[in-house]
Structures are given as structure tokens and as C-alpha cells.
Amino acid sequence: MPKVENPKIDEGEDEIGRCRAELLSDAGGLTQFGAFIETLWPGSAASKTHWHANEDEMIHVLSGTVTLIEGDAETDLIQGDTATFKAGVPVGHHLENRTQAPCRYLVIGTRSHDDTVTYSKTGETVTIIADEKVYRDAEGNITKVEPYHGT
């Protein structure tokens, strides 16, 4: 079992905020599930509200406070709290950092290579089949196609 050293860092900022991901499972060569540590800066969201048809997800808070928005419910999660999202449950979720300090959490999810991600509020979707991600707007028009590497 190799020790994971110097995982790839994916860092960025867009319309929903700033975050940083330490890609642990990729550094270890894993293909059946993904695991990474995400840091979410104050005022940022981790994603748009979404749910997966075929992939389970979970988060475990390492430090700070993050607000989970799931459907109409909002729950503050603190260090030691865990939240899970079962595949196929059509209730959108996302995370927001509403505090003045960064928060860090471990994210673990399956990599099905056959999934549809539905963005509940916009109607957009991403279909993952084999090694390709196809993005569609609410009307079903393809807006982007890119390789899928399981991250």
C-alpha cells in the first residue's frame, strides 16, 4: 500500500466562490471511488445544487463550519459531523461556507462512469458515460463535452 505524498491540488475560483481540493485517491491511483479534502473559503459554495443518479457521496467535516443545503432544509455541520447522499434520491444538495473562516472536509464518492448529475434549480444536467462528460442546458442542448477521468 503506497503512502500518498504530494497529492495533486485543484484550486480555483468561479461564480460560486473559491475552493481547493487535495486529490487523495487520484494520487493513489484509485479508480472505483474518489476521495479528496476540500477547503472552502468564506462566502463560497462547493457546487450548484445537484443530485446523482448513480453515485453515492459523503462528506466528513475536518475543521470549521459548513452549511449543508438539502432540499428546503439547512443544517450547519461542524468538525466531526458527517453527511451522506444516496444515489438516485432526487433531492438536490450543496455546501456553503457562511462563516468568516475557511472550512475543510473530506469528500468520498463512487465513480460509476455511468451517471447523470441533475442541477435541481437550473434543470441543467451532466451525463457521464465511460470517459466522457456531456453538459446540457435545461432544454437538453449540449453546451460542452469533455473527458471524464473520475474526479
Side-chain angles (χ1 to χ4, degrees), residues 51 86 88-92 120:
W51 61 276
K86 184 173 174 53
V89 177
V91 178
S120 310

Side-chain angles (χ1 to χ4, degrees), residues 48-51 116-126 135-141:
K48 296 178 184 177
T49 304
H50 70 284
W51 61 276
T116 298
V117 183
T118 301
Y119 294 90
S120 310
K121 294 185 179 190
T122 65
E124 298 166 288
T125 61
V126 177
Y135 295 76
R136 290 183 172 82
D137 63 20
E139 289 77 41
N141 301 307

Side-chain angles (χ1 to χ4, degrees), residues 11-24:
E11 195 161 6
E13 188 167 359
D14 59 19
E15 69 275 0
I16 61 174
R18 178 178 168 211
C19 69
R20 175 182 195 265
E22 301 168 48
L23 305 176
L24 305 173

Side-chain angles (χ1 to χ4, degrees), residues 69-92:
I69 294 89
E70 185 176 27
D72 294 328
E74 295 186 5
T75 306
D76 285 338
L77 303 173
I78 60 170
Q79 182 177 349
D81 286 345
T82 301
T84 60
F85 312 100
K86 184 173 174 53
V89 177
V91 178

